[in-house]
Coordinates of all heavy atoms in Angstrom, one line a residue:
M1 N 6.4 5.3 -4.1 CA 6.4 4.4 -3.0 C 7.7 3.7 -2.8 O 8.3 3.2 -3.7 CB 5.3 3.3 -3.2 CG 3.9 3.8 -3.2 SD 3.5 4.4 -1.5 CE 2.0 5.4 -1.9
S2 N 8.2 3.8 -1.6 CA 9.5 3.2 -1.3 C 9.4 2.1 -0.3 O 9.6 2.3 0.9 CB 10.5 4.3 -0.8 OG 10.0 5.0 0.3
E3 N 8.9 1.0 -0.7 CA 8.6 -0.1 0.2 C 9.8 -0.8 0.7 O 9.8 -1.3 1.8 CB 7.6 -1.1 -0.4 CG 7.9 -1.3 -1.9 CD 6.7 -2.0 -2.5 OE1 6.4 -3.1 -2.1 OE2 6.0 -1.4 -3.4
S4 N 10.9 -0.7 0.0 CA 12.1 -1.4 0.4 C 12.8 -0.7 1.6 O 13.4 -1.3 2.4 CB 13.1 -1.4 -0.8 OG 13.4 -0.2 -1.3
T5 N 12.6 0.6 1.6 CA 13.3 1.3 2.7 C 12.4 1.4 4.0 O 12.8 1.8 5.0 CB 13.7 2.7 2.3 OG1 12.5 3.4 1.8 CG2 14.8 2.7 1.2
A6 N 11.1 1.1 3.8 CA 10.1 1.3 4.9 C 10.4 0.2 5.9 O 10.3 -1.0 5.6 CB 8.7 1.3 4.4
R7 N 10.6 0.6 7.1 CA 10.8 -0.4 8.2 C 9.5 -0.4 9.0 O 8.9 0.7 9.3 CB 12.0 0.0 9.1 CG 13.3 -0.5 8.5 CD 14.4 0.1 9.3 NE 14.4 1.6 9.3 CZ 15.1 2.4 10.1 NH1 15.9 1.9 10.9 NH2 15.0 3.7 10.0
K8 N 9.1 -1.5 9.4 CA 7.9 -1.6 10.3 C 8.3 -1.2 11.7 O 9.2 -1.8 12.3 CB 7.3 -3.0 10.3 CG 6.3 -3.2 9.2 CD 5.5 -4.5 9.4 CE 4.5 -4.7 8.3 NZ 3.7 -5.9 8.4
L9 N 7.6 -0.3 12.2 CA 7.8 0.2 13.6 C 6.6 -0.1 14.4 O 5.5 0.2 14.0 CB 8.1 1.7 13.6 CG 9.4 2.0 12.9 CD1 9.4 3.5 12.5 CD2 10.6 1.7 13.8
I10 N 6.8 -0.8 15.5 CA 5.7 -1.2 16.4 C 5.7 -0.4 17.7 O 6.7 -0.2 18.3 CB 5.8 -2.7 16.7 CG1 5.9 -3.5 15.4 CG2 4.5 -3.1 17.5 CD1 4.7 -3.5 14.5
C11 N 4.6 0.2 18.0 CA 4.5 0.9 19.3 C 4.6 -0.1 20.4 O 4.0 -1.1 20.5 CB 3.1 1.6 19.4 SG 2.9 2.4 21.0
Y12 N 5.6 0.2 21.3 CA 5.9 -0.8 22.4 C 4.8 -0.8 23.4 O 4.7 -1.7 24.2 CB 7.2 -0.4 23.0 CG 7.2 0.9 23.8 CD1 6.9 1.0 25.1 CD2 7.6 2.1 23.1 CE1 7.0 2.2 25.8 CE2 7.6 3.3 23.7 CZ 7.3 3.3 25.1 OH 7.3 4.5 25.7
R13 N 3.9 0.2 23.4 CA 2.8 0.2 24.4 C 1.6 -0.5 23.8 O 1.0 -1.3 24.5 CB 2.5 1.7 24.7 CG 3.4 2.2 25.8 CD 2.8 3.5 26.4 NE 3.2 4.7 25.6 CZ 2.9 5.9 25.9 NH1 2.3 6.2 27.0 NH2 3.3 6.9 25.2
C14 N 1.2 -0.2 22.6 CA 0.0 -0.7 22.0 C 0.2 -1.9 21.1 O -0.8 -2.5 20.8 CB -0.7 0.4 21.2 SG -0.7 2.0 22.1
K15 N 1.4 -2.2 20.7 CA 1.7 -3.3 19.9 C 1.0 -3.2 18.5 O 0.5 -4.1 17.9 CB 1.3 -4.7 20.5 CG 1.8 -4.8 21.9 CD 3.3 -4.9 22.0 CE 3.8 -5.1 23.4 NZ 5.1 -4.7 23.6
V16 N 0.9 -1.9 18.1 CA 0.3 -1.7 16.7 C 1.4 -1.0 15.9 O 2.3 -0.4 16.4 CB -1.0 -0.8 16.8 CG1 -2.1 -1.6 17.5 CG2 -0.7 0.5 17.4
E17 N 1.2 -1.2 14.6 CA 2.2 -0.6 13.6 C 2.0 0.9 13.6 O 0.9 1.5 13.5 CB 1.9 -1.2 12.2 CG 3.1 -1.0 11.3 CD 2.8 -1.6 10.0 OE1 2.1 -2.7 9.9 OE2 3.2 -1.1 9.0
L18 N 3.2 1.6 13.6 CA 3.1 3.1 13.5 C 2.8 3.5 12.1 O 3.3 2.8 11.1 CB 4.5 3.6 13.9 CG 5.0 3.3 15.4 CD1 6.2 4.1 15.7 CD2 3.9 3.5 16.4
Q19 N 2.1 4.5 11.9 CA 1.7 5.0 10.6 C 2.4 6.3 10.3 O 2.4 7.2 11.2 CB 0.2 5.2 10.5 CG -0.7 4.0 10.9 CD -0.5 2.9 9.8 OE1 -0.3 3.2 8.6 NE2 -0.7 1.7 10.2
P20 N 3.0 6.5 9.1 CA 3.6 7.7 8.8 C 2.6 8.9 8.8 O 1.5 8.7 8.2 CB 4.2 7.5 7.4 CG 4.1 6.0 7.2 CD 3.1 5.5 8.0
E21 N 3.0 9.9 9.4 CA 2.0 11.1 9.4 C 2.8 12.3 9.2 O 3.9 12.5 9.9 CB 1.3 11.1 10.7 CG 0.2 12.2 10.7 CD -0.6 12.2 12.0 OE1 -1.3 11.2 12.3 OE2 -0.4 13.1 12.8
K22 N 2.3 13.2 8.4 CA 3.0 14.5 8.2 C 2.9 15.3 9.5 O 1.8 15.5 10.0 CB 2.3 15.3 7.1 CG 3.1 15.2 5.8 CD 2.9 16.4 4.9 CE 4.0 16.6 4.0 NZ 4.5 15.4 3.2
T23 N 4.1 15.6 10.0 CA 4.1 16.2 11.4 C 4.9 17.5 11.3 O 5.9 17.7 10.6 CB 4.8 15.3 12.3 OG1 4.2 14.0 12.3 CG2 4.9 15.8 13.7
Y24 N 4.3 18.5 11.9 CA 4.9 19.8 12.0 C 6.0 19.9 13.1 O 5.7 19.6 14.2 CB 3.8 20.9 12.2 CG 4.3 22.3 12.3 CD1 4.7 22.9 11.1 CD2 4.3 22.9 13.5 CE1 5.1 24.3 11.2 CE2 4.7 24.3 13.5 CZ 5.1 24.9 12.4 OH 5.5 26.2 12.5
F25 N 7.1 20.3 12.7 CA 8.2 20.4 13.6 C 8.7 21.9 13.8 O 8.7 22.6 12.9 CB 9.4 19.7 13.1 CG 9.5 18.3 13.6 CD1 8.9 17.2 12.9 CD2 10.1 18.0 14.8 CE1 9.0 15.9 13.4 CE2 10.2 16.7 15.3 CZ 9.6 15.7 14.6
Q26 N 9.0 22.1 15.0 CA 9.7 23.4 15.3 C 11.0 23.1 16.0 O 10.9 22.4 17.1 CB 8.8 24.3 16.1 CG 8.1 25.4 15.3 CD 7.5 26.4 16.1 OE1 6.9 26.2 17.1 NE2 7.6 27.7 15.7
Y27 N 12.0 23.6 15.5 CA 13.3 23.2 16.1 C 14.3 24.4 16.0 O 14.6 24.8 14.9 CB 13.9 22.0 15.4 CG 15.2 21.5 16.1 CD1 15.1 20.8 17.3 CD2 16.4 21.7 15.5 CE1 16.3 20.4 17.9 CE2 17.6 21.3 16.1 CZ 17.5 20.6 17.3 OH 18.6 20.1 17.9
L28 N 14.7 24.9 17.1 CA 15.6 26.0 17.1 C 15.2 27.2 16.2 O 15.9 27.8 15.5 CB 17.0 25.6 16.7 CG 17.7 24.6 17.6 CD1 19.0 24.2 17.0 CD2 17.9 25.2 19.0
G29 N 13.9 27.4 16.3 CA 13.3 28.6 15.5 C 13.0 28.2 14.0 O 12.5 29.1 13.3
H30 N 13.4 27.0 13.6 CA 13.0 26.6 12.2 C 11.8 25.7 12.3 O 11.6 25.0 13.3 CB 14.2 25.8 11.6 CG 15.4 26.6 11.3 ND1 15.8 26.8 10.0 CD2 16.2 27.3 12.1 CE1 16.9 27.6 10.1 NE2 17.1 27.9 11.3
S31 N 11.0 25.8 11.3 CA 9.8 24.9 11.2 C 9.7 24.2 9.9 O 10.1 24.8 8.9 CB 8.6 25.7 11.5 OG 8.5 26.8 10.7
F32 N 9.3 23.0 9.9 CA 9.2 22.2 8.7 C 8.2 21.0 8.9 O 8.0 20.6 10.0 CB 10.5 21.7 8.2 CG 11.4 21.0 9.2 CD1 11.3 19.6 9.4 CD2 12.2 21.7 10.1 CE1 12.0 19.0 10.4 CE2 13.0 21.1 11.0 CZ 12.9 19.7 11.2
F33 N 7.7 20.5 7.8 CA 6.8 19.3 7.8 C 7.7 18.1 7.4 O 8.4 18.2 6.5 CB 5.7 19.5 6.9 CG 4.5 20.3 7.4 CD1 4.5 21.7 7.1 CD2 3.6 19.8 8.3 CE1 3.4 22.4 7.6 CE2 2.6 20.5 8.8 CZ 2.5 21.9 8.4
T34 N 7.4 17.0 8.1 CA 8.1 15.8 7.7 C 7.2 14.6 8.1 O 6.4 14.7 9.0 CB 9.5 15.7 8.2 OG1 10.2 14.6 7.6 CG2 9.5 15.5 9.7
D35 N 7.4 13.5 7.4 CA 6.6 12.3 7.7 C 7.3 11.6 8.9 O 8.5 11.2 8.8 CB 6.6 11.3 6.5 CG 5.6 11.8 5.5 OD1 4.6 12.4 5.9 OD2 5.7 11.5 4.3
I36 N 6.6 11.4 9.9 CA 7.1 10.8 11.1 C 6.2 9.6 11.5 O 4.9 9.7 11.5 CB 7.0 11.8 12.3 CG1 8.0 12.9 12.1 CG2 7.4 11.1 13.7 CD1 9.5 12.6 12.1
P37 N 6.7 8.4 11.7 CA 5.9 7.3 12.1 C 5.2 7.6 13.5 O 5.9 8.0 14.4 CB 6.9 6.2 12.3 CG 8.2 6.6 11.6 CD 8.2 8.1 11.7
K38 N 3.9 7.4 13.5 CA 3.1 7.8 14.7 C 2.2 6.7 15.0 O 1.5 6.1 14.1 CB 2.4 9.1 14.4 CG 1.6 9.6 15.6 CD 1.0 11.0 15.2 CE 0.3 11.6 16.4 NZ -0.3 12.9 16.1
C39 N 2.0 6.4 16.3 CA 1.1 5.4 16.7 C -0.3 5.9 16.6 O -0.6 7.0 17.2 CB 1.4 5.0 18.2 SG 0.1 3.9 18.8
P40 N -1.2 5.2 15.8 CA -2.6 5.7 15.7 C -3.4 5.6 17.0 O -4.5 6.2 17.1 CB -3.2 4.8 14.6 CG -2.3 3.6 14.6 CD -1.0 4.0 15.1
V41 N -2.9 4.9 17.9 CA -3.7 4.6 19.1 C -3.3 5.7 20.2 O -4.2 6.4 20.7 CB -3.5 3.2 19.7 CG1 -4.3 3.0 21.0 CG2 -3.9 2.2 18.6
C42 N -2.0 5.7 20.6 CA -1.6 6.6 21.7 C -0.9 7.9 21.2 O -0.7 8.8 22.0 CB -0.7 5.8 22.7 SG 0.9 5.5 22.1
G43 N -0.6 8.0 19.9 CA 0.0 9.2 19.4 C 1.5 9.3 19.6 O 2.1 10.3 19.4
L44 N 2.1 8.2 20.1 CA 3.6 8.2 20.3 C 4.2 8.4 18.9 O 3.8 7.7 17.9 CB 4.0 6.8 20.9 CG 5.5 6.6 21.1 CD1 5.7 6.1 22.5 CD2 6.0 5.6 20.0
V45 N 5.2 9.2 18.8 CA 6.0 9.4 17.6 C 7.4 8.9 17.7 O 8.0 8.9 18.8 CB 6.0 10.9 17.1 CG1 4.6 11.4 16.8 CG2 6.6 11.7 18.2
Y46 N 7.9 8.4 16.6 CA 9.2 7.9 16.5 C 10.1 8.8 15.7 O 9.8 9.0 14.5 CB 9.2 6.5 16.0 CG 10.6 5.9 15.7 CD1 11.4 5.4 16.7 CD2 11.2 5.9 14.4 CE1 12.6 4.9 16.5 CE2 12.4 5.5 14.2 CZ 13.2 4.9 15.2 OH 14.4 4.5 15.0
I47 N 11.1 9.4 16.2 CA 12.0 10.3 15.5 C 13.1 9.4 14.9 O 13.9 8.9 15.7 CB 12.6 11.4 16.3 CG1 11.5 12.1 17.1 CG2 13.3 12.4 15.5 CD1 10.5 12.9 16.3
P48 N 13.2 9.3 13.6 CA 14.2 8.4 13.0 C 15.6 9.1 13.3 O 15.7 10.3 13.3 CB 13.9 8.5 11.5 CG 12.6 9.0 11.4 CD 12.3 9.8 12.6
E49 N 16.6 8.2 13.5 CA 17.9 8.7 13.8 C 18.4 9.6 12.7 O 19.1 10.6 13.0 CB 18.8 7.5 14.0 CG 20.1 7.9 14.8 CD 20.9 6.6 15.1 OE1 20.3 5.6 15.4 OE2 22.1 6.7 15.0
E50 N 18.1 9.3 11.5 CA 18.6 10.0 10.3 C 18.1 11.5 10.4 O 18.7 12.4 10.0 CB 18.3 9.4 9.0 CG 16.8 9.2 8.8 CD 16.5 8.5 7.5 OE1 17.1 7.4 7.2 OE2 15.7 9.0 6.7
L51 N 16.8 11.6 10.9 CA 16.3 12.9 11.0 C 17.0 13.7 12.1 O 17.4 14.8 12.0 CB 14.8 12.8 11.3 CG 14.1 14.2 11.5 CD1 14.1 15.0 10.2 CD2 12.7 14.0 12.0
A52 N 17.1 13.0 13.2 CA 17.7 13.7 14.4 C 19.2 14.1 14.1 O 19.6 15.2 14.4 CB 17.7 12.7 15.6
R53 N 19.9 13.2 13.3 CA 21.3 13.5 13.0 C 21.4 14.3 11.8 O 22.4 15.1 11.6 CB 22.0 12.2 12.9 CG 22.2 11.6 14.2 CD 23.3 10.5 14.1 NE 23.4 9.8 15.4 CZ 24.2 8.8 15.5 NH1 24.9 8.3 14.5 NH2 24.4 8.2 16.7
G54 N 20.5 14.1 10.8 CA 20.7 14.8 9.5 C 20.1 16.2 9.5 O 20.8 17.1 9.6
R55 N 18.8 16.2 9.4 CA 18.1 17.5 9.3 C 18.3 18.4 10.5 O 18.6 19.6 10.4 CB 16.6 17.2 9.1 CG 15.9 18.5 8.7 CD 15.0 18.2 7.5 NE 14.5 19.4 7.0 CZ 13.5 19.5 6.2 NH1 12.9 18.4 5.8 NH2 13.0 20.6 5.7
M56 N 18.2 17.8 11.7 CA 18.4 18.6 12.9 C 19.8 19.2 12.9 O 20.1 20.3 13.3 CB 18.2 17.8 14.1 CG 16.7 17.2 14.2 SD 15.5 18.4 14.8 CE 14.0 17.4 14.8
A57 N 20.8 18.3 12.6 CA 22.2 18.8 12.6 C 22.4 19.9 11.6 O 23.1 20.8 11.8 CB 23.1 17.6 12.3
E58 N 21.7 19.7 10.4 CA 21.8 20.8 9.4 C 21.4 22.1 9.9 O 22.0 23.1 9.7 CB 20.9 20.4 8.2 CG 21.6 19.7 7.1 CD 20.7 19.2 6.0 OE1 19.8 20.0 5.7 OE2 20.8 18.1 5.5
V59 N 20.2 22.0 10.6 CA 19.7 23.3 11.2 C 20.6 23.9 12.2 O 20.9 25.1 12.2 CB 18.3 23.0 11.8 CG1 17.8 24.2 12.6 CG2 17.3 22.6 10.7
E60 N 21.2 23.0 13.0 CA 22.1 23.5 14.0 C 23.3 24.2 13.3 O 23.8 25.3 13.8 CB 22.6 22.4 14.9 CG 21.7 22.1 16.0 CD 22.1 20.9 16.8 OE1 23.2 20.3 16.5 OE2 21.3 20.4 17.6
Q61 N 23.8 23.6 12.3 CA 25.0 24.1 11.6 C 24.7 25.5 11.0 O 25.4 26.4 11.1 CB 25.4 23.2 10.5 CG 26.9 23.2 10.2 CD 27.3 21.8 9.8 OE1 26.6 21.0 9.2 NE2 28.6 21.5 10.1
E62 N 23.5 25.6 10.4 CA 23.0 26.8 9.8 C 23.1 27.9 10.8 O 23.5 29.0 10.5 CB 21.6 26.6 9.4 CG 21.2 27.2 8.0 CD 19.8 26.8 7.6 OE1 19.6 25.7 7.1 OE2 18.9 27.6 7.9
L63 N 22.6 27.6 12.0 CA 22.6 28.6 13.1 C 24.0 29.0 13.5 O 24.3 30.2 13.8 CB 21.8 28.1 14.3 CG 20.3 28.0 14.0 CD1 19.6 27.4 15.3 CD2 19.7 29.3 13.6
E64 N 24.9 28.0 13.6 CA 26.2 28.3 14.0 C 27.0 29.2 13.1 O 27.8 30.0 13.5 CB 27.0 27.0 14.2 CG 26.7 26.3 15.5 CD 27.2 24.9 15.5 OE1 28.0 24.5 14.7 OE2 26.7 24.1 16.4
D65 N 26.7 29.1 11.8 CA 27.3 29.9 10.8 C 27.1 31.4 10.9 O 27.8 32.2 10.4 CB 27.0 29.4 9.4 CG 27.6 28.1 9.0 OD1 28.5 27.7 9.8 OD2 27.2 27.5 8.1
K66 N 26.0 31.7 11.5 CA 25.6 33.1 11.6 C 26.3 33.9 12.7 O 26.8 33.3 13.6 CB 24.1 33.2 11.8 CG 23.3 33.0 10.5 CD 21.8 32.9 10.8 CE 21.2 32.4 9.5 NZ 19.9 31.8 9.8
Ligands
LIG1 ZN1 0.7 3.4 21.0

């Protein structure tokens, strides 16, 4: 449990706390599971910047190398 790093994210539409949910991603032909904060009411997902810049960037780099 990493409670110190967990930030509370609130859905701007429903005003409820987003719950982490294992989400299946497909990106540039790669697929992976990761925990993404998701609104239990409307299903809105929040993509953390670190994921967008970290993992996604890694995948992009991988593809460029080929
Ligand atoms: Zn919502």
Side-chain angles (χ1 to χ4, degrees):
M1 290 298 162
S2 54
E3 34 195 300
S4 57
T5 55
R7 279 170 301 168
K8 270 196 181 179
L9 294 160
I10 307 292
C11 177
Y12 65 91
R13 277 195 274 187
C14 316
K15 310 295 181 204
V16 295
E17 199 179 324
L18 303 188
Q19 304 291 335
E21 186 179 290
K22 261 210 157 45
T23 304
Y24 179 73
F25 265 94
Q26 259 193 316
Y27 185 75
L28 294 177
H30 290 243
S31 54
F32 50 91
F33 280 97
T34 192
D35 283 329
I36 295 293
K38 184 175 184 178
C39 174
V41 180
C42 71
L44 176 133
V45 293
Y46 172 80
I47 310 291
E49 201 173 319
E50 58 180 53
L51 176 67
R53 289 195 181 176
R55 189 129 191 197
M56 300 279 183
E58 265 175 41
V59 171
E60 273 173 10
Q61 211 145 32
E62 225 174 275
L63 291 179
E64 279 168 17
D65 286 347
K66 278 173 195 160

